[in-house]
Amino acid sequence: MDADAVAAVTGGRSIGVAIVDDHPVVVEGVRAWLATEPQLTVLATGDDPDEVLRAAPHADVVLLDLRLHGLMVLDKLAELSAAGRRVVVYSEHTDPATMLAALDAGAVAFLAKHEGREHCVATVLAAASDRPYVPPALAGAIVGDPRPDRPTLSDKEREALLLWFQSMSKASVARRMRISEHTVKQYVDRARIKYTRAGRPAATKAALLARAIEDGLVRPEEIGTYRSQAWYDRPTP
């Protein structure tokens, strides 16, 4: 990301990051990557989520290895997410089922460990601003997987979802579509209800995005380029 794009995402504020991983070499590598972005500050690191967050209780983003000391920590992920933490899962386990399980547990993003600095920094910045980001591994794992329980969305529901995935608020989507914020919320809620009825609930924004990409309703490249709220608020011919 260039400086203007970073400012658009973060509003220029400092972003605190906590790293939870049981491999010191990974921790130091990620710390070095994040240090290339001046607005990112690593507040604490370690292999125990509770200890790390006691050391950094106000961290904006938690970068969490999904497997700690040989055990998958989906329950801890769900606990942190339920407590309001923005958790980015950083894992070598990149099968589609694991990715979707992490998103369903509340992760705001899923980053594969083989993906480089650019995607790591971009994912953390996006998570800090509550904006979805689709790294290549996630996109490749879930894109275009046709299935009989794929919900059917109306054109307006799809448009509202796409703009919501790209923007920072339902209010900006409402201005762009020239409808009320309440109507935008209805469109998003209808999509969630349709997925729940299909037996594929999507409680979080990240999970709903993954479902939409999985079913071909949204293309990853439609999400990858960030447009600031000012773009949505510009005069429309």
Side-chain angles (χ1 to χ4, degrees):
M1 281 190 173
D2 60 30
D4 290 340
V6 170
V9 172
T10 66
R13 64 182 176 83
S14 178
I15 296 168
V17 182
I19 303 173
V20 183
D21 196 296
D22 57 355
H23 294 90
V25 66
V26 172
V27 171
E28 292 309 310
V30 172
R31 184 198 291 273
W33 285 351
L34 298 183
T36 64
E37 171 47 58
Q39 288 182 268
L40 296 178
T41 302
V42 176
L43 301 178
T45 66
D47 59 6
D48 183 292
D50 295 327
E51 290 183 3
V52 170
L53 290 174
R54 276 195 293 271
H58 302 299
D60 296 288
V61 178
V62 180
L63 199 62
L64 175 70
D65 187 358
L66 197 57
R67 187 179 180 89
L68 295 172
H69 306 292
L71 299 174
M72 299 296 281
V73 292
L74 280 169
D75 289 346
K76 175 56 70 172
L77 165 60
E79 178 186 321
L80 294 174
S81 300
R85 294 286 184 179
R86 296 184 185 95
V87 183
V88 172
V89 168
Y90 186 52
S91 178
E92 73 274 16
H93 299 281
T94 56
D95 60 283
T98 297
M99 289 183 170
L100 282 173
L103 296 179
D104 287 343
V108 299
F110 192 107
L111 184 67
K113 282 194 171 180
H114 66 263
E115 290 172 315
R117 178 190 61 82
E118 178 183 357
H119 291 296
C120 182
V121 171
T123 301
V124 171
L125 288 172
S129 64
D130 297 318
R131 181 176 59 86
Y133 181 78
V134 187
L138 179 60
I142 64 180
V143 68
D145 179 20
R147 51 180 66 201
D149 52 356
R150 164 181 165 174
T152 301
L153 302 185
S154 71
D155 290 342
K156 289 294 186 182
E157 288 167 349
R158 182 190 179 279
E159 182 182 3
L161 283 180
L162 177 58
L163 291 175
W164 183 51
F165 292 147
Q166 291 176 334
S167 71
M168 292 188 291
S169 71
K170 293 185 178 74
S172 64
V173 176
R175 287 189 287 271
R176 176 64 178 161
M177 294 181 69
R178 302 192 180 197
I179 58 179
S180 71
E181 188 174 347
H182 176 71
T183 301
V184 174
K185 184 177 184 300
Q186 284 185 321
Y187 287 147
V188 173
D189 288 346
R190 282 182 205 164
R192 280 206 170 101
I193 289 169
K194 289 179 180 181
Y195 271 104
T196 298
R197 288 176 176 169
R200 300 163 64 205
T204 66
K205 189 174 187 178
L208 187 57
L209 172 60
R211 299 298 190 196
I213 293 175
E214 186 179 28
D215 292 336
L217 301 172
V218 171
R219 298 190 305 276
E221 59 268 25
E222 293 179 293
I223 306 301
T225 301
Y226 175 72
R227 296 186 174 98
S228 70
Q229 187 165 343
W231 186 91
Y232 290 104
D233 296 341
R234 78 198 194 288
T236 304

